[in-house]
Amino acid sequence: MRKISFVLVILFIIGCTSNKKEEKSNIKPESTTAIDTAMVDHTSEQIISNEEKIEVKDSVIVTNKVKESETDIKVSKGREIAKEAKAGDKKEKKEITKGNIERVRPHHTIWNSLTKKHVSSSGKVNYNGFKSNIKSIEIYLSHLEVTPPKKDWTKNEKLAYWFNLYNAATIHLIASNYPVKSIKDINNGKPWDKKFIKSGNKTYSLNQIENSIVRPNFNEPRLHVAFNCAAISCPKLMKGAFLPSKLNSQLNMLSKSWITDSSKNKISENSIEISKIFEWYKVDFKKGIIPFINNFSTTKITPNAEIKYLDYNWDLND
């Protein structure tokens, strides 16, 4: 009996062991299942995400029918979209800028303030003062550089621009070289031929602004009181900036001040001693020198009055 019982116990133990081995062989580790599931989920999300991106990209740009790997499509199309977006931004910016330039007009606030500060009512110019504010003059000149006259500007807008540009450039030229006794001490005696004034994409000299732009294109003899040559015998520099809305009254005021200044023009009924400007630019006074002077003189000159020209003093108007 003991032998039989022992054999049965052994058989029972062997049977249990066999069942456990079978069960163990049919079970995967829980950690392995979790890792696989995570990888599958992550991959599927990426595929969905990539598909959505590709669909959006395809709606934006036209692609060729050459089959590429998803990775290649993603990279190449992404670059194409980036290029397209950047190109679009530049185009839009360019159009906005162009539109603004067409409507913009220069403002003369800086020059108006500087001249009121450094020019006396008698026309004396404080070049030391201008020199201390030379950066402000340069900012103003840079502003005029990027706001050049356009075809749709009025005559007064164009003239105000060129008058202010010329005068600010002249003051900058002298202030940069100050102290000097005369403007003729600059650029080997030819300051008006120095090309340093920028307007748009061009660079001009003082001579070019006066004699190639304004004088030939505007029938305006009063321009000679607007352009300031920084000399004692020159019409005085205006205390303020030329403004399109006030230009006519400003030119009349300066003309009257110049003609009635006995240090620059000596007027009597039958004889006159006048500025050499009238001799140098006689062609600009199309209605005649005497009729022009009579518009502003308190003494009316007879048509046949004797005319003499005064020597020109090129000493600096400081």
Side-chain angles (χ1 to χ4, degrees), residues 27-45:
I27 297 174
K28 292 183 178 180
E30 286 186 9
S31 59
T32 304
T33 304
I35 290 170
D36 288 348
T37 303
M39 287 177 67
V40 170
D41 290 344
H42 179 72
T43 305
S44 63
E45 285 175 4

Side-chain angles (χ1 to χ4, degrees), residues 282-299:
K282 186 176 181 179
V283 67
D284 293 342
F285 300 93
K286 294 179 172 58
K287 294 181 179 180
I289 292 171
I290 290 177
F292 177 85
I293 294 174
N294 276 337
N295 285 330
F296 306 102
S297 176
T298 53
T299 301

Side-chain angles (χ1 to χ4, degrees), residues 141-307:
L141 290 173
S142 295
H143 171 63
L144 295 185
E145 177 186 350
V146 297
T147 54
K150 302 292 183 183
K151 289 182 179 179
D152 62 340
W153 287 23
T154 64
K155 175 184 176 181
N156 282 3
E157 285 175 329
K158 293 174 183 176
L159 282 173
Y161 174 91
W162 291 118
F163 292 156
N164 289 326
L165 177 60
Y166 183 101
N167 290 339
T170 299
I171 295 296
H172 184 273
L173 181 65
I174 294 171
S176 300
N177 291 275
Y178 198 75
V180 290
K181 291 183 178 180
S182 170
I183 189 174
K184 284 189 167 186
D185 294 337
I186 301 170
N187 199 43
N188 297 317
K190 296 181 179 180
W192 301 283
D193 293 334
K194 180 181 173 65
K195 286 190 175 184
F196 70 102
I197 310 163
K198 294 181 179 179
S199 176
N201 58 0
K202 296 181 179 179
T203 303
Y204 300 103
S205 67
L206 293 167
N207 255 338
Q208 286 176 311
I209 291 176
E210 181 178 8
N211 299 314
S212 299
I213 297 174
V214 178
R215 288 184 62 221
N217 296 304
F218 299 90
N219 182 22
E220 182 51 81
R222 294 174 299 174
L223 65 88
H224 295 289
V225 300
F227 288 134
N228 190 270
C229 63
I232 288 176
S233 289
C234 186
K236 66 182 180 181
L237 177 65
M238 189 172 73
K239 191 178 177 70
F242 288 102
L243 303 173
S245 60
K246 298 180 179 180
L247 188 63
N248 189 58
S249 60
Q250 287 175 324
L251 291 176
N252 282 337
M253 178 268 294
L254 288 172
S255 296
K256 185 175 182 63
S257 176
W258 178 47
I259 294 300
T260 57
D261 185 345
S262 58
S263 69
K264 296 177 172 64
N265 295 284
K266 302 179 187 299
I267 308 296
S268 65
E269 186 178 347
N270 296 310
S271 66
I272 55 176
E273 295 178 70
I274 54 178
S275 170
K276 265 196 175 294
I277 288 174
F278 287 109
E279 183 179 26
W280 293 332
Y281 301 104
K282 186 176 181 179
V283 67
D284 293 342
F285 300 93
K286 294 179 172 58
K287 294 181 179 180
I289 292 171
I290 290 177
F292 177 85
I293 294 174
N294 276 337
N295 285 330
F296 306 102
S297 176
T298 53
T299 301
K300 295 306 174 184
I301 309 162
T302 59
N304 298 320
E306 181 184 9
I307 300 176

Side-chain angles (χ1 to χ4, degrees), residues 20-55:
K20 284 181 180 180
K21 283 182 179 180
E22 186 176 352
E23 286 177 9
K24 190 174 182 180
S25 67
N26 290 329
I27 297 174
K28 292 183 178 180
E30 286 186 9
S31 59
T32 304
T33 304
I35 290 170
D36 288 348
T37 303
M39 287 177 67
V40 170
D41 290 344
H42 179 72
T43 305
S44 63
E45 285 175 4
Q46 282 293 95
I47 291 170
I48 292 169
S49 177
N50 286 343
E51 285 176 353
E52 288 174 353
K53 286 179 183 176
I54 290 170
E55 287 174 5

Side-chain angles (χ1 to χ4, degrees), residues 63-216:
T63 59
N64 56 37
K65 294 183 179 181
V66 177
K67 190 173 182 180
E68 299 172 325
S69 67
E70 283 189 8
T71 305
D72 289 338
I73 292 172
K74 179 181 174 183
V75 173
S76 63
K77 288 188 177 182
R79 286 175 181 170
E80 286 296 321
I81 288 176
K83 282 183 179 179
E84 182 108 351
K86 286 179 182 177
D89 289 345
K90 285 180 181 178
K91 184 177 179 182
E92 184 179 356
K93 188 175 181 182
K94 185 177 180 182
E95 288 175 354
I96 291 171
T97 303
K98 183 180 177 182
N100 288 341
I101 287 174
E102 287 175 350
R103 292 189 296 272
V104 77
R105 295 293 191 274
H107 62 80
H108 304 291
T109 309
I110 294 175
W111 186 239
N112 191 63
S113 176
L114 287 173
T115 51
K116 286 185 175 180
K117 184 178 181 181
H118 300 304
V119 180
S120 71
S121 56
S122 64
K124 293 290 184 182
V125 180
N126 179 5
Y127 288 103
N128 267 325
F130 274 118
K131 189 170 186 175
S132 67
N133 291 131
I134 200 161
K135 291 296 181 185
S136 296
I137 302 174
E138 289 168 356
I139 289 170
Y140 177 62
L141 290 173
S142 295
H143 171 63
L144 295 185
E145 177 186 350
V146 297
T147 54
K150 302 292 183 183
K151 289 182 179 179
D152 62 340
W153 287 23
T154 64
K155 175 184 176 181
N156 282 3
E157 285 175 329
K158 293 174 183 176
L159 282 173
Y161 174 91
W162 291 118
F163 292 156
N164 289 326
L165 177 60
Y166 183 101
N167 290 339
T170 299
I171 295 296
H172 184 273
L173 181 65
I174 294 171
S176 300
N177 291 275
Y178 198 75
V180 290
K181 291 183 178 180
S182 170
I183 189 174
K184 284 189 167 186
D185 294 337
I186 301 170
N187 199 43
N188 297 317
K190 296 181 179 180
W192 301 283
D193 293 334
K194 180 181 173 65
K195 286 190 175 184
F196 70 102
I197 310 163
K198 294 181 179 179
S199 176
N201 58 0
K202 296 181 179 179
T203 303
Y204 300 103
S205 67
L206 293 167
N207 255 338
Q208 286 176 311
I209 291 176
E210 181 178 8
N211 299 314
S212 299
I213 297 174
V214 178
R215 288 184 62 221

